[in-house]
Amino acid sequence: MGASEPDTPGLVAPFAARAVGLALALVLAGCGNDRPGDATAAAGVSEDVTRATALLEPAAQLPPRAEIVALADTLAIASSRRGKTAEGASLARLAADLRARLWRIDQVAADAREAVELYAAAAQAAGGSPEGCEADRRRALLAGDLARDAAAGYRELYLASRRQAAALAGLASAPAPSGAPAAQPPSACLAQIDLALARAVAYRPSIVALRALEREGNAAADAASRDVHGRPASIAIPPPPSSAPSAAPTASAASAPSGVPKDVVVSPKEDAVGKGPVKVLSIERFGNEKGARVVINLSAPTTFNVGTLGADESKGKDARVFVDLARATSKGVQKEIEVGGAVRRVRVGAQTDGTRVVLDLAAALYRRVFYLPDPFRVVIDVSTRPPVRDESPGKGGRRALARVALDAGHGGVDDGAVGPTGLREKDVTLDIAHRIAPLLAHELKIETLLTRDSDAYVPLELRTARANAFHADLFVSIHCNASENGLARGVQTFVFDSGKDPEASVARLAARENAPRGGTAALDPKALDEAMATIFSNLGGADMAAKSRHVADLLHRSALASLAPRYPDTKDQGIKTAGFYVLVGADMPAVLFETSFISNPEDESRLSTADYRQKLADAVVNAIRAYRDGK
Ligand SMILES: [Zn+2]
C-alpha cells in the first residue's frame, strides 16, 4: 500500500460521492428558504437552477458548449447579485460545477480557471458551512488538476484544509444566532480533504516549503475566519515549529535554569570499555529553537566526562557544554558544524588523550548526556523544557496535552516485518499514523508530529530527538508484531522499562525493533537489555515508566474495545516491558503499540484492510483522549 493516486475531481470514492450528494441536497434546500430575496428574480433563477442541476446528472445529454457557458454565466451573475448569502453560494457552486464539467469534457483551461474562481466565490459566500467547505474542496482539487502538478494539488488541498478547519472552529465558538441550529455537524468535508491529502502524501513539499506553507496557511485561515465573521480568528492556529519559546532562559547563567537538577550524565563504567583506540566516525545533529540533539558516532565504546562553561558577554562567548571523549581521535571529522536554534554550532578539538566536542548554546538549557550501545553513540540532548515535569491532571481533571509525537515504525530501506503475502510493516504503520493525525487535530485539537511522514528511513535516535524538540507531551510508536512460527496473533502494547521481562520472545522482539536498517543488532539481546536498563534508570526513567505504563494500559484497553465488535476473536497479548531504543531518551511518556501480527496470515489480511487500520487508529485517538481527560 502507501501513497496512491491523488484524488481527482469527478473520480471520488463512493462515500465521497455520498457526501457530494448530501452537499448538493443541502445547497438546493438552502435556495428556497434561507433568504427569500426578490421574488420575481428568484422565479427566473429557479428555472436556471433546475436546468443546471439536470445537466450535472452523470447521464445527461449535453447541449452545445455555448449554451452551457451561457447558463453558467447567468447563474454566476445571479450569484454575484445575491452576495454573501447561502443562495449566492449555491448559485456560484452550480455555475462552477457546470464549468468544471465542461473542462473535463473539452480540456479548455479557461473553463477550469473560471470554475476555480466560482468555487472560491461559493466558498467565501458560504463561510464555514459544509457547503462552503465542499466548494473549497472542489476548488482545491480542480486547481491542482489545472496545474497538472501533484505538488501544486497538495498545496491547494493543504491550504483549503487550514482555511476550513479555522472557519469551522470559528463558527463553533461564535454565539449561535437565535433560531439557528446550535451544533455544527461533524465535517465530512474536512475528512475528505484530509483523506485526499493523505493520498497525495508522496507529493508533500520539503520541510522548508511546508514551513512557508504553514505561515501562508495561518494567514489564509486568519483571513477566512475574518471573512466569515468580520472579526479576527478566535481559535489559536498552532504556530509553526520554528517559533521561539516564550520563556527562554537567559544566556548569562552557566547552570541550568533555576530549580532544575543539574546536568544528567550517564557514561559507561571504566571497566566496561576496552583499552584500544577509538575513532569519532561522524557527528549528527538535529534541533530547533526548543531543543536539540547531537549524536557522536564512535567506532568503539569509551568513557566520557561532561563540563559546562558560562556565557562570557565581554568576550562575546556563548554558554557551552562540552564532552571529553577518552582515547578518541577525530581525524577527518569536520571541526566546526553550524546548527542553529538552541545549539549555535558544534566544535571538535583534539586533546592530549582524547577529543573534546563543544556545543555553543544559544541560552542556558537543560542538558542530558548519555550513551547508546551497539553501535556505540554518545547522545547530547539540550532543551528549553525541563526533562522531568509534573503531568498529573490539573483543573477539571485534565492533563495538559497539546502535542503528540506519532512514530510510524521503520520506513525506507527498513521494511520492518513482512507478512506471508508480502504486506510490509512500514506501509501499515505509516497509513495508521496518517489516519490518527487528522483525528487528533480535528477532534481533540492536538498538534501532531509525525517522526516520519513518508516512506523514508529515519534513525531511531532521530525519532525521539524530533519528539523532544517538538516538546511532545506523549510519544506513540506504531508497529506490527511478528513471530517465528507465524501462529501468534493479537494486540500487544509495550512500555520501555528496565528490560526485566523474563520472556525470551520479548527480548527477541526488542532486538528486532531495535535493529538498525532491518538487520539484527550485533550485541546479545540480554546484554543489550542490561545496558539499556542501566541507562534508563540513570535518566530518571522509573517515573516516566510509571506514566508510560498508564498510557499503555489505556491504549491496550482501547484497542481491544475498538476491535472487539467486528473482530471478536482478537487475542489479548497483554502489556509488556522491553528495552526499545526508540523509547529511550524520549522526555515524555512513551509507548510502543504492536497493532497485530503481520506474520500471521489472518492478522495480515486484516491489517491490509482500511477498516481494521481505521479501528486501530480510532483506538489510539480514544486512548489519547482518555489520557488527556485525566482517566
Ligand atoms: Zn516494528
Side-chain angles (χ1 to χ4, degrees):
M1 60 128 297
S4 55
E5 289 299 302
D7 213 343
T8 51
L11 274 174
V12 283
F15 57 104
R18 279 209 303 281
V20 170
L22 177 68
L24 197 61
L26 287 168
V27 167
L28 293 174
C31 281
N33 59 21
D34 216 318
R35 178 181 277 224
D38 181 332
T40 358
V45 166
S46 83
E47 266 179 42
D48 293 331
V49 167
T50 311
R51 172 117 178 90
T53 309
L55 288 178
L56 288 168
E57 285 295 322
Q61 290 281 324
L62 295 184
R65 173 189 163 77
E67 218 176 301
I68 302 180
V69 171
L71 179 58
D73 286 348
T74 308
L75 290 167
I77 292 163
S79 159
S80 66
R81 284 210 188 104
R82 280 155 184 84
K84 291 188 178 182
T85 62
E87 200 185 354
S90 69
L91 291 171
R93 223 311 268 293
L94 267 183
D97 284 347
L98 283 176
R99 286 287 199 159
R101 180 147 210 199
L102 278 177
W103 152 251
R104 271 177 229 118
I105 296 165
D106 299 331
Q107 294 287 301
V108 175
D111 283 327
R113 279 197 295 270
E114 192 66 35
V116 166
E117 293 282 306
L118 286 164
Y119 280 136
Q124 281 255 325
S129 67
E131 297 90 318
C133 179
E134 182 56 29
D136 207 1
R137 187 182 81 90
R138 292 186 183 199
R139 193 206 59 79
L141 288 170
L142 189 58
D145 201 14
L146 178 63
R148 302 207 185 279
D149 177 355
Y154 187 97
R155 183 180 170 282
E156 293 291 345
L157 279 167
Y158 180 83
L159 292 175
S161 157
R162 295 301 301 259
R163 272 194 300 271
Q164 294 307 320
L168 196 66
L171 274 190
S173 65
S178 57
Q184 277 296 309
S187 179
C189 166
L190 254 183
Q192 282 298 309
I193 295 177
D194 284 329
L195 183 69
L197 276 173
R199 283 183 182 158
V201 72
Y203 305 106
R204 189 178 176 151
S206 72
I207 290 292
V208 175
L210 208 59
R211 291 236 171 106
L213 201 50
E214 280 278 337
R215 286 190 289 275
E216 211 180 312
N218 286 345
D222 214 9
S225 226
R226 251 193 284 274
D227 271 331
V228 174
H229 310 295
R231 60 179 169 75
S234 56
I235 56 147
I237 302 293
S242 58
S243 68
S246 51
T250 58
S252 55
S255 60
S258 63
V260 179
K262 292 172 64 179
D263 304 278
V264 177
V265 178
V266 187
S267 168
K269 297 242 178 342
E270 196 77 57
D271 55 9
V273 300
K275 298 275 176 244
V278 179
K279 246 186 84 54
V280 175
L281 300 173
S282 62
I283 295 178
E284 294 161 54
R285 77 282 189 202
F286 171 81
N288 60 23
E289 280 78 0
K290 290 178 180 175
R293 170 170 283 190
V294 173
V295 180
I296 309 167
N297 294 302
L298 293 145
S299 62
T302 190
T303 57
F304 54 85
N305 287 306
V306 176
T308 56
L309 291 164
D312 189 340
E313 277 161 33
S314 65
K315 289 180 184 160
K317 286 198 166 176
D318 295 321
R320 282 149 285 167
V321 55
F322 59 86
V323 178
D324 288 338
L325 301 154
R327 298 181 291 115
T329 57
S330 58
K331 214 178 150 205
V333 175
Q334 203 181 328
K335 293 293 172 264
E336 190 163 327
I337 306 162
E338 292 298 323
V339 181
V343 174
R344 292 194 206 280
R345 68 193 74 78
V346 177
R347 290 179 287 128
V348 183
Q351 290 187 307
T352 19
D353 184 31
T355 292
R356 172 170 285 193
V357 177
V358 184
L359 276 61
D360 293 328
L361 306 177
L365 302 163
Y366 300 99
R367 296 168 292 237
R368 194 172 56 170
V369 186
F370 60 100
Y371 71 99
L372 289 172
D374 195 30
F376 189 86
R377 289 151 287 169
V378 175
V379 180
I380 308 162
D381 280 341
V382 297
S383 178
T384 57
R385 181 171 77 158
V388 178
R389 301 171 301 279
D390 180 18
E391 280 142 342
S392 47
K395 264 190 196 153
R398 278 195 168 200
R399 285 187 181 86
L401 190 65
R403 285 174 295 275
V404 169
L406 286 178
D407 175 52
H410 314 276
V413 293
D414 174 12
D415 286 342
V418 179
T421 73
L423 185 66
R424 298 180 302 187
E425 179 180 2
K426 66 170 182 178
D427 296 327
V428 177
T429 58
L430 185 61
D431 182 56
I432 293 172
H434 278 148
R435 289 168 189 272
I436 299 168
L439 292 173
L440 289 180
H442 296 141
E443 290 190 12
L444 304 183
K445 303 281 174 274
I446 285 174
E447 212 184 331
T448 309
L449 168 88
L450 295 175
T451 57
R452 71 173 175 101
D453 197 12
S454 61
D455 183 16
Y457 175 75
V458 179
L460 298 181
E461 59 266 26
L462 185 54
R463 295 174 186 242
T464 35
R466 286 180 176 169
N468 288 349
F470 178 63
H471 284 189
D473 301 307
L474 193 61
F475 184 93
V476 180
S477 189
I478 300 154
H479 287 259
C480 299
N481 223 326
S483 78
E484 275 144 39
N485 64 19
L487 292 176
R489 297 186 60 184
V491 176
Q492 204 166 35
T493 310
F494 283 88
V495 184
F496 185 93
D497 208 341
S498 43
K500 292 213 178 77
D501 203 301
E503 281 182 54
S505 65
V506 171
R508 270 203 302 279
L509 175 64
R512 183 168 56 71
E513 299 294 19
N514 286 327
R517 303 194 175 231
T520 315
L523 206 68
D524 159 45
K526 258 195 120 157
L528 191 65
D529 264 6
E530 275 163 25
M532 295 306 284
T534 311
I535 298 163
F536 189 61
S537 62
N538 279 292
L539 289 177
D543 178 54
M544 208 59 95
K547 289 172 188 160
S548 302
R549 173 93 200 178
H550 181 63
V551 178
D553 186 51
L554 289 170
L555 174 54
H556 196 71
R557 281 190 287 144
S558 175
L560 293 172
S562 177
L563 294 173
R566 180 86 189 268
Y567 309 94
D569 60 343
T570 300
K571 220 175 155 219
D572 178 358
Q573 292 279 3
I575 301 168
K576 308 278 178 185
T577 59
F580 292 119
Y581 273 7
V582 70
L583 301 185
V584 80
D587 63 13
M588 72 286 305
V591 295
L592 191 145
F593 183 34
E594 293 279 1
T595 51
S596 286
F597 281 76
I598 201 167
S599 52
N600 175 272
E602 182 58 29
D603 269 16
E604 186 201 25
S605 92
R606 287 181 184 179
L607 281 169
S608 69
T609 67
D611 178 70
Y612 197 73
R613 293 175 184 186
Q614 191 59 49
K615 286 187 166 54
L616 291 165
D618 292 344
V620 173
V621 174
N622 289 336
I624 291 171
R625 187 201 318 270
Y627 185 66
R628 183 199 61 182
D629 292 348
K631 298 266 164 49

